[in-house]
Amino acid sequence: MTVQVLGVAVPVPLPRVFDYRPPPGLAVPADAVGRRVRVPFGPREHVGVVVAVTALPAATAAGLRPAHAWLDESPLLGGELLDTLRWASAYYAHPLGEVIQAALPVVLRRAQPPPVARGRHYLVTAAGERAAEAPAYRRRKRLLRLLALLATGPRTAAEIAEHVTRAGRLVDEALAEGLIEIVSAHLPTAPALIGPPLDPQQAEAVAAIAAAAGGYAAFLLDGVTGSGKTEVYLTAIRACIERGRQALVLVPEIGLTPQALRRYRERLGVPIAMLHSGLADGARAQAWLAAARGDAPVVLGTRSAVLTPLARPGLIVVDEEHDASYKQQDGWRYHARDLAVVRARALGVPVVLGSATPSLESLANVAAGRYRSLQLTRRAGRAEPPRMQVVDLRRQRLHDGLSEAAIAALAQTLERGEQALVFRNRRGYAPTLLCHDCGWYGECPRCDARLTVHRASRLLRCHHCSYETALPKQCPACGSDGLMPLGVGTERLEEHLAARFPDARILRFDRDSTRTRSEFEERYAAIEADGPAILVGTQMLAKGHDLPRLTLVVLVDVDAGLFSTDFRGPERLAQMVVQVAGRAGRADRPGTVMLQTHHPDHPLLRTLLADGYAAFAAAELEARRLAQLPPAVHLVVIRAEARDAAVLERYFAAVRELIGETAEVGVRGPLPAAMARRDGYLRRQLVLEAGSRAPLQRLLARHLEALHALPAARRVRWAIDVDPLEVD
Ligand code: ADP
Ligand code: ZN
Ligand code: ZN
């Protein structure tokens, strides 16, 4: 005799599914897969998701613990999403339970039924109206109040909750009894704004995407900044909604500004389900559930929104597809752009990856014929491309990092009543505090890193851990007064500019001056207000923002990027230069970009400025091929950290022994990470490389359980990073 057994993905760091007997007393529903269950796990209880139902001999099953209870009345995770998560668990060699957990909003990770849908409207039915009159219902006071309320017009659950207690349960009961019904949640309205007529290149791109509707196709929308990529997305999304389908739109964390959201709202004329890290848990769960039900015609979100279930999928868009924020950097290290393509294929819908500075991976996919390239080569409207100007810093007198040419240009910009951006990707006053007498400099005791001078708060702070200490007045080593801040950060630039242009508005944007999203929004709105201004900022201001009065961009220092140790350093620098430059002159005023460097003849800068990003990217792809670096090869990195060097060594020795020699996969290391010590932990990595993904995947699959079982692994923090962004 056999009995049914539940295979449950439990959110624990073990690469397997756990078997349970079904909760006592209840039959296993036919659609059990995808429902959540409460299960015992050791001395604790977890919320798991059923991923398989199998039949086991009764004697074997008797040895299993029973699950405690079902949490859902229907599957929470549907077919395609669950399949994609299964695939991703294998591809990224990460436990399925944790992968599934990452896909669920926090509220749904808890041992409670899904919240009642908000945003949905309820109305009394004919049966409900009769019931309100019937003597049998006279004692059910709360129900009568609900029916009376819904007799006056459709209400949301939130509105109902204002009138009756425990509204969620009551609404469920009334629905089950047929006394109330759900009325169409979102009636599409006419868009408030009609976009500009598309130019021929935009129209061609929209037509190509439309022609692919109904099946899988991947497009790389490669369009210079301000060329109207967003107009292409908006038109394609609108067409998708009109076909009755849902669009999933991913944007980088930093790109989800109120401006951007307003533009989508006004132009699409439908409610937009937002999913980003700033949302309250409840709101996030509501947006997720609305997407799963098919109630949300457009889902707009950051990285993890790629894991949103869609009932009626029609289109996936990934804006700024090159952006590093799409890669999750801890836990399950997935890449949202790559998963977007995987999902589009599984869902049978087109996916559009857009960027002015496409990743080399995506360009390689175009070259290999996997993606179709759609090009927008001109700026939309009358906007001219910005003039790029290299400022040779050699033998020049600098004023807190600024050349005289840059200062003169800033003064002229202010005089014309326009705005300028001074870009420096270092916050704080100065990246180093140096003793001029003995050579001492401030170092973090826990990291291989220097301490940043924060002058306003009188602190030396580490930007890699939480260490901070009072800014010393005398050198801690020799006692001299000769301490000097070396280099410039945004705080120093702001101070200098405020002194030099006392009448001008100087607005600094970095994580010190602008801590929260709402603070950012408030200060950002202040830029838009009329009037000349100088913005000083880090990458917080580097992309996505439309600032029509901005006509000058000064890149204070591009040299650090030119000599980065990471193989993606040149790509990142080129993208940063082009993206920041793209902020200048977006409307009908021409823009100027000044790049300050001590290496004006560096080949990267020369190619980029003379021939543009595409030429740079082609040269860089060739360089990666010659150096056998991604995307020419594929990498997996096993990272580990520990306080004790011997412990770390033993761990990697064990890993190397386990993996052994393989002909098809190259193994390098363990190598120290670029920052070999952080927050007191020593950090090393083992690099696995192969010409294609399959041998890496085979190797991971073969050794995954053993990697988790290694005794030496218990004393280190370790992680597998498939397709790593950095190999430092
Ligand atoms: P991107 O997303 O490529 O940076 P946007 O779609 O934001 O570009 O367009 C940049 C600016 O040009 C916006 O102000 C937009 O309204 C405008 N624009 C886009 N397409 C057109 C067009 N076909 N005609 C006129 N203006 C356009
Ligand atoms: Zn000293
Ligand atoms: Zn530190």
Side-chain angles (χ1 to χ4, degrees), residues 37-61:
V37 279
R38 280 169 33 207
V39 292
F41 196 87
R44 303 185 49 200
E45 188 187 76
H46 278 298
V47 174
V49 172
V50 176
V51 294
V53 178
T54 48
L56 283 189
T60 318

Side-chain angles (χ1 to χ4, degrees), residues 444-449 451 462-467 675 678-679:
C444 178
R446 302 184 207 152
C447 307
D448 287 346
L451 295 169
C462 176
H463 286 185
H464 306 281
C465 72
S466 56
Y467 181 82
M675 188 173 294
R678 192 170 69 192
D679 207 6

Side-chain angles (χ1 to χ4, degrees), residues 72-107:
D72 300 315
E73 294 188 342
S74 58
L76 194 61
L77 287 172
E80 173 275 335
L81 183 54
L82 193 54
D83 287 347
T84 299
L85 295 174
R86 268 202 199 98
W87 176 89
S89 165
Y91 181 78
Y92 290 102
H94 199 83
L96 181 59
E98 291 191 340
V99 166
I100 288 178
Q101 163 121 333
L104 293 179
V106 171
V107 168

Side-chain angles (χ1 to χ4, degrees), residues 323-335:
D323 196 275
S325 75
Y326 285 127
K327 174 86 192 220
Q328 172 75 33
Q329 294 286 23
D330 53 28
W332 168 34
R333 296 165 189 243
Y334 64 94
H335 200 302

Side-chain angles (χ1 to χ4, degrees), residues 198 200-221 232 235-236 239 243 314-315 349-352 371-376:
L198 299 182
Q201 287 185 327
Q202 286 172 314
E204 203 178 305
V206 167
I209 299 163
Y216 166 74
F219 297 96
L220 178 64
L221 180 61
V232 171
T235 313
R243 290 197 318 276
L315 175 68
V349 302
V351 57
V352 181
Y371 300 170
R372 216 175 116 192
S373 173
L374 304 170
Q375 307 251 343
L376 305 179

